[in-house]
Amino acid sequence: NQQIVLDNRPQGEAVASNFKLVATDTPPLQDGQVLVRHHYLSLDPYMRGRMNESKSYAASQALGEVMIGGTVGEVAESKHPKYAVGDKVVGMGGWQEYSVVNADQPGALRKVDTTHVPLSHYLGAVGMPGVTAWYGLVKIIAPKEGDTVVVSAATGAVGSAFAALAKARGCRAVGIAGGADKCKYAVEELGFDACIDYKEHSDVKALSKALKEACPNGIDGYFENVGGWIMDAVMLRMNAFSRIALCGMIAGYDGAPLPMANPALMLINRMKVEGFIVSEHMEVWPDALKELGTLVGTGKLRPRETIAQGIAAAPEAFLGLLKGKNFGKQLVKLI
Ligand code: NDP
């Protein structure tokens, strides 16, 4: 069982030498346990917070331990009556090829149906990132028909579920993403009404001008994934009584400071700004997953994936994710 462990903590930017590839045998199964062979490992920005000693919203991860992470795979051996060999399951198996799971532990393992939804999508659009988009849009932005809603990192795992959900609620959906290819895909495949390539705009003023053109009625809801100057530009276009769902600030995860240019706009526009952690809202997951599964199953949501091959490729793929090299959900394929 090949595994990636956290070997040492980043000093500033995370680097490949923070990780180490090791191999161990999987222990024999006890009653109630299941051996899962992972097909895909999910790479997610929150993992960067876990690499630090200090507490972020994600608890710190111990040195020498297998990196935490969502996985999908199939049951390879079972000593649990509810799981049979071959069952497809989602879990938190971590950066390794196999995991031994106490299947009775709440939330440890979930069986999934791959008839209409490919297995890998349970780590993306029909999994944690999709539910994240759903929660921020539906519960925090809570749009009315006709509202204009904007999301940053629009083609990423979270952002890519946003347009389909927003269009289903009668909104104008506008994305912000890095690069012409990403923006073309956002409009042509994901259903955004417009998408702005922030790399084409050199400063807050220029980006804000582009937002004005894409959002002629101003912005009623903003789903923040990035932070920094992109947020400053959006803030200039927010309407009175608008809402911001504060989901992530990836531009600061490697230690860069993220000052906010004009916080007074929150007061002037009587805005609601609410941060959230999706795993603290398990009550919405069934409804959200149902809607997302239907959107994917009916082809209304066609998520894209960037797939690295083999467990040894996980560290580089993860560092790439933090730099925007992924196009869609970043996965590692293990078999
Ligand atoms: P993505 O698939 O969106 O990948 C990250 C993307 O962020 C990159 O592709 C890149 O897109 C963009 N990015 C990276 N660095 C920068 C930067 N310095 N400036 C601007 N953009 C950057 O990741 P996820 O969809 O998995 O996660 C998106 C956000 O949601 C993250 O902030 C994450 O932490 C957060 N999150 C929060 C959760 C919660 O419960 N609150 C749960 C899940 C995710 P581009 O090329 O378009 O710039």
Side-chain angles (χ1 to χ4, degrees):
N1 182 27
Q2 293 202 89
Q3 308 172 313
I4 303 274
V5 300
L6 180 63
D7 188 54
N8 55 82
R9 299 196 190 279
Q11 312 292 323
E13 205 171 295
V15 290
S17 60
N18 296 140
F19 303 97
K20 194 162 90 183
L21 180 67
V22 299
T24 58
D25 293 330
T26 55
L29 294 190
Q30 312 283 323
D31 282 344
Q33 289 186 328
V34 163
L35 177 69
V36 180
R37 182 171 193 196
H38 302 153
H39 290 205
Y40 292 92
L41 159 68
S42 174
L43 295 178
D44 299 88
Y46 74 83
M47 295 163 173
R48 177 64 188 84
R50 300 216 177 217
M51 294 171 74
N52 291 345
E53 186 105 61
S54 58
K55 193 175 173 295
S56 84
Y57 68 79
S60 176
Q61 141 131 34
L63 291 181
E65 264 184 21
V66 177
M67 284 291 295
I68 190 172
T71 44
V72 289
E74 69 180 293
V75 173
E77 259 180 73
S78 176
K79 283 204 168 183
H80 192 289
K82 290 201 184 130
Y83 291 89
V85 170
D87 281 351
K88 301 289 188 292
V89 288
V90 183
M92 289 295 289
W95 295 26
Q96 55 184 339
E97 294 170 316
Y98 290 87
S99 61
V100 172
V101 184
N102 291 312
D104 280 330
Q105 207 173 302
L109 217 54
R110 186 161 53 89
K111 269 196 239 187
V112 292
D113 181 354
T114 53
T115 321
H116 301 293
V117 174
L119 184 60
S120 59
H121 286 2
Y122 286 101
L123 294 175
V126 193
M128 185 278 281
V131 179
T132 303
W134 191 98
Y135 188 86
L137 178 72
V138 176
K139 293 292 180 185
I140 298 179
I141 294 175
K144 295 185 303 299
E145 207 176 327
D147 276 2
T148 297
V149 293
V150 175
V151 62
S152 53
T155 62
V158 173
S160 57
F162 187 85
L165 296 170
K167 294 313 286 178
R169 287 160 180 79
C171 298
R172 176 170 175 79
V174 174
I176 302 174
D181 284 358
K182 287 186 177 179
C183 284
K184 186 168 186 278
Y185 163 75
V187 172
E188 290 179 1
E189 296 285 324
L190 292 176
F192 281 96
D193 295 293
C195 183
I196 298 168
D197 174 6
Y198 68 87
K199 291 185 176 165
E200 281 231 317
H201 301 282
S202 53
D203 58 15
V204 171
K205 212 170 145 197
L207 182 57
S208 170
K209 186 162 171 277
L211 279 160
K212 190 176 183 183
E213 280 157 28
C215 309
N217 298 323
I219 300 170
D220 303 295
Y222 178 47
F223 191 106
E224 178 59 294
N225 282 320
V226 168
W229 71 280
I230 292 178
M231 184 168 184
D232 287 338
V234 175
M235 287 283 281
L236 293 170
R237 299 289 161 219
M238 298 298 290
N239 289 332
F241 302 104
S242 56
R243 290 82 60 198
I244 295 185
L246 218 46
C247 171
M249 295 193 138
I250 194 169
Y253 291 180
D254 258 334
L258 290 183
M260 194 183 220
N262 209 343
L265 287 169
M266 288 190 265
L267 170 62
I268 293 163
N269 288 322
R270 288 84 85 210
M271 286 165 58
K272 177 176 106 171
V273 180
E274 189 174 329
F276 71 101
I277 302 296
V278 71
S279 54
E280 292 175 353
H281 301 281
M282 294 313 291
E283 73 287 352
V284 309
W285 282 56
D287 282 353
L289 288 174
K290 196 166 165 217
E291 181 175 356
L292 292 157
T294 304
L295 286 170
V296 170
T298 55
K300 286 189 180 142
L301 171 51
R302 291 188 296 274
R304 194 178 155 132
E305 299 170 332
T306 297
I307 299 177
Q309 195 65 45
I311 191 74
E316 284 299 344
F318 176 64
L319 300 174
L321 168 75
L322 295 176
K323 294 193 160 30
K325 289 191 185 151
N326 62 308
F327 191 159
K329 172 68 201 165
Q330 180 68 57
L331 298 168
V332 180
K333 191 171 189 318
L334 299 174
I335 57 169

